[in-house]
Structure formats: structure tokens, C-alpha cells
Short mmCIF file of all heavy atoms in Angstrom, two decimals:
data_model
loop_
_atom_site.label_atom_id
_atom_site.label_comp_id
_atom_site.label_asym_id
_atom_site.label_seq_id
_atom_site.Cartn_x
_atom_site.Cartn_y
_atom_site.Cartn_z
N LYS A 32 -324.47 -74.87 83.43
CA LYS A 32 -325.73 -74.99 82.68
C LYS A 32 -325.64 -76.07 81.61
O LYS A 32 -326.60 -76.81 81.38
CB LYS A 32 -326.10 -73.65 82.05
CG LYS A 32 -326.59 -72.64 83.05
CD LYS A 32 -326.92 -71.31 82.42
CE LYS A 32 -327.37 -70.33 83.50
NZ LYS A 32 -327.65 -69.01 82.96
N THR A 33 -324.48 -76.17 80.97
CA THR A 33 -324.31 -77.18 79.92
C THR A 33 -324.29 -78.58 80.52
O THR A 33 -324.90 -79.51 79.97
CB THR A 33 -323.02 -76.91 79.13
OG1 THR A 33 -323.04 -75.58 78.66
CG2 THR A 33 -322.90 -77.84 77.95
N LEU A 34 -323.61 -78.74 81.65
CA LEU A 34 -323.60 -80.05 82.31
C LEU A 34 -324.99 -80.43 82.81
O LEU A 34 -325.41 -81.58 82.70
CB LEU A 34 -322.59 -80.07 83.45
CG LEU A 34 -321.11 -80.08 83.06
CD1 LEU A 34 -320.22 -79.93 84.29
CD2 LEU A 34 -320.76 -81.36 82.29
N ALA A 35 -325.72 -79.44 83.35
CA ALA A 35 -327.07 -79.69 83.85
C ALA A 35 -328.03 -80.08 82.73
O ALA A 35 -328.94 -80.88 82.92
CB ALA A 35 -327.60 -78.47 84.59
N SER A 36 -327.80 -79.52 81.53
CA SER A 36 -328.69 -79.84 80.40
C SER A 36 -328.40 -81.22 79.83
O SER A 36 -329.21 -81.76 79.07
CB SER A 36 -328.55 -78.79 79.30
OG SER A 36 -327.31 -78.97 78.61
N GLY A 37 -327.24 -81.77 80.16
CA GLY A 37 -326.89 -83.09 79.65
C GLY A 37 -326.41 -83.10 78.20
O GLY A 37 -326.36 -84.15 77.58
N GLN A 38 -326.06 -81.94 77.68
CA GLN A 38 -325.61 -81.85 76.29
C GLN A 38 -324.31 -82.62 76.11
O GLN A 38 -323.37 -82.45 76.87
CB GLN A 38 -325.42 -80.39 75.90
CG GLN A 38 -325.01 -80.19 74.47
CD GLN A 38 -324.77 -78.72 74.13
OE1 GLN A 38 -324.86 -77.86 74.99
NE2 GLN A 38 -324.45 -78.46 72.89
N ILE A 39 -324.28 -83.48 75.08
CA ILE A 39 -323.07 -84.25 74.78
C ILE A 39 -322.67 -84.04 73.32
O ILE A 39 -323.50 -83.67 72.49
CB ILE A 39 -323.26 -85.76 75.07
CG1 ILE A 39 -324.43 -86.33 74.27
CG2 ILE A 39 -323.42 -86.01 76.54
CD1 ILE A 39 -324.56 -87.83 74.36
N SER A 40 -321.41 -84.28 73.04
CA SER A 40 -320.92 -84.11 71.67
C SER A 40 -321.39 -85.30 70.82
O SER A 40 -321.50 -86.41 71.32
CB SER A 40 -319.40 -83.98 71.66
OG SER A 40 -318.80 -85.19 72.06
N PRO A 41 -321.62 -85.06 69.54
CA PRO A 41 -322.18 -86.12 68.69
C PRO A 41 -321.27 -87.33 68.48
O PRO A 41 -321.72 -88.46 68.59
CB PRO A 41 -322.45 -85.43 67.36
CG PRO A 41 -322.23 -83.99 67.55
CD PRO A 41 -321.54 -83.79 68.85
N ALA A 42 -319.99 -87.11 68.20
CA ALA A 42 -319.12 -88.24 67.85
C ALA A 42 -318.45 -88.87 69.07
O ALA A 42 -318.46 -90.09 69.22
CB ALA A 42 -318.06 -87.79 66.85
N LEU A 43 -317.89 -88.05 69.94
CA LEU A 43 -317.15 -88.57 71.08
C LEU A 43 -318.04 -88.88 72.29
O LEU A 43 -317.60 -89.55 73.22
CB LEU A 43 -316.06 -87.58 71.50
CG LEU A 43 -314.94 -87.35 70.51
CD1 LEU A 43 -314.04 -86.21 70.95
CD2 LEU A 43 -314.12 -88.63 70.35
N ARG A 44 -319.25 -88.34 72.28
CA ARG A 44 -320.21 -88.52 73.38
C ARG A 44 -319.67 -87.96 74.70
O ARG A 44 -319.95 -88.48 75.78
CB ARG A 44 -320.60 -89.99 73.55
CG ARG A 44 -320.97 -90.73 72.27
CD ARG A 44 -322.18 -90.25 71.56
NE ARG A 44 -323.38 -90.44 72.34
CZ ARG A 44 -324.53 -89.83 72.08
NH1 ARG A 44 -324.63 -89.00 71.09
NH2 ARG A 44 -325.58 -90.04 72.82
N LEU A 45 -318.88 -86.88 74.60
CA LEU A 45 -318.36 -86.19 75.78
C LEU A 45 -319.36 -85.15 76.26
O LEU A 45 -320.00 -84.50 75.44
CB LEU A 45 -317.06 -85.46 75.45
CG LEU A 45 -315.81 -86.27 75.21
CD1 LEU A 45 -314.68 -85.35 74.74
CD2 LEU A 45 -315.39 -86.99 76.47
N PRO A 46 -319.48 -84.97 77.58
CA PRO A 46 -320.30 -83.86 78.06
C PRO A 46 -319.70 -82.55 77.58
O PRO A 46 -318.51 -82.30 77.76
CB PRO A 46 -320.22 -83.98 79.58
CG PRO A 46 -319.80 -85.39 79.85
CD PRO A 46 -318.96 -85.80 78.67
N MET A 47 -320.50 -81.70 76.96
CA MET A 47 -319.99 -80.45 76.40
C MET A 47 -319.49 -79.49 77.49
O MET A 47 -318.69 -78.61 77.21
CB MET A 47 -321.07 -79.77 75.55
CG MET A 47 -321.32 -80.49 74.23
SD MET A 47 -319.85 -80.64 73.20
CE MET A 47 -319.55 -78.94 72.76
N GLY A 48 -319.94 -79.68 78.71
CA GLY A 48 -319.43 -78.87 79.81
C GLY A 48 -317.92 -79.03 79.98
O GLY A 48 -317.22 -78.09 80.34
N TRP A 49 -317.41 -80.23 79.71
CA TRP A 49 -315.96 -80.45 79.80
C TRP A 49 -315.24 -79.64 78.72
O TRP A 49 -314.17 -79.11 78.96
CB TRP A 49 -315.63 -81.92 79.61
CG TRP A 49 -316.08 -82.82 80.72
CD1 TRP A 49 -316.83 -82.49 81.81
CD2 TRP A 49 -315.84 -84.21 80.80
NE1 TRP A 49 -317.07 -83.60 82.57
CE2 TRP A 49 -316.47 -84.68 81.97
CE3 TRP A 49 -315.17 -85.13 80.01
CZ2 TRP A 49 -316.42 -86.00 82.36
CZ3 TRP A 49 -315.12 -86.45 80.40
CH2 TRP A 49 -315.74 -86.88 81.58
N VAL A 50 -315.83 -79.59 77.57
CA VAL A 50 -315.23 -78.82 76.47
C VAL A 50 -315.22 -77.34 76.84
O VAL A 50 -314.20 -76.65 76.70
CB VAL A 50 -316.00 -79.05 75.15
CG1 VAL A 50 -315.43 -78.20 74.03
CG2 VAL A 50 -315.97 -80.54 74.77
N TYR A 51 -316.35 -76.82 77.32
CA TYR A 51 -316.44 -75.42 77.70
C TYR A 51 -315.65 -75.09 78.96
O TYR A 51 -315.45 -73.93 79.29
CB TYR A 51 -317.90 -75.01 77.88
CG TYR A 51 -318.74 -75.18 76.64
CD1 TYR A 51 -320.07 -75.57 76.73
CD2 TYR A 51 -318.22 -74.95 75.38
CE1 TYR A 51 -320.85 -75.72 75.59
CE2 TYR A 51 -318.98 -75.10 74.24
CZ TYR A 51 -320.31 -75.49 74.35
OH TYR A 51 -321.07 -75.65 73.22
N GLY A 52 -315.19 -76.12 79.66
CA GLY A 52 -314.38 -75.92 80.86
C GLY A 52 -313.08 -75.18 80.57
O GLY A 52 -312.44 -74.66 81.49
N ALA A 53 -312.69 -75.11 79.31
CA ALA A 53 -311.48 -74.38 78.93
C ALA A 53 -311.58 -72.90 79.31
O ALA A 53 -310.56 -72.28 79.63
CB ALA A 53 -311.22 -74.52 77.43
N VAL A 54 -312.77 -72.35 79.28
CA VAL A 54 -312.94 -70.92 79.57
C VAL A 54 -312.60 -70.60 81.03
O VAL A 54 -311.74 -69.74 81.28
CB VAL A 54 -314.36 -70.43 79.18
CG1 VAL A 54 -314.54 -68.97 79.55
CG2 VAL A 54 -314.62 -70.65 77.70
N PRO A 55 -313.23 -71.24 82.03
CA PRO A 55 -312.85 -70.91 83.41
C PRO A 55 -311.43 -71.35 83.77
O PRO A 55 -310.76 -70.68 84.57
CB PRO A 55 -313.89 -71.62 84.27
CG PRO A 55 -314.54 -72.62 83.40
CD PRO A 55 -314.39 -72.15 81.99
N VAL A 56 -310.94 -72.42 83.17
CA VAL A 56 -309.56 -72.85 83.45
C VAL A 56 -308.58 -71.78 82.96
O VAL A 56 -307.67 -71.37 83.68
CB VAL A 56 -309.26 -74.22 82.81
CG1 VAL A 56 -307.78 -74.53 82.82
CG2 VAL A 56 -310.03 -75.32 83.52
N ALA A 57 -308.78 -71.31 81.73
CA ALA A 57 -307.91 -70.25 81.20
C ALA A 57 -308.05 -68.97 82.03
O ALA A 57 -307.06 -68.28 82.28
CB ALA A 57 -308.25 -69.97 79.73
#
């Protein structure tokens, strides 16, 4: 859902889905 929404971080401009990817990886 986060990747589909296109949400990105303000400073690094990373897709927030990558950040939240820690949950399913863990």
C-alpha cells in the first residue's frame, strides 16, 4: 500500500515501502 501510494521520505527521497520492508523481512 505504501509503495502504491508513492510515499517517499522527505530528506533521502526513498520510497517508504522500502523502509517498512523491515517488518516482513524480520
Side-chain angles (χ1 to χ4, degrees):
K32 287 179 182 178
T33 306
L34 288 173
S36 74
Q38 182 183 2
I39 57 172
S40 67
L43 294 172
R44 313 296 295 164
L45 288 174
M47 288 302 293
W49 292 4
V50 177
Y51 300 144
V54 177
V56 167

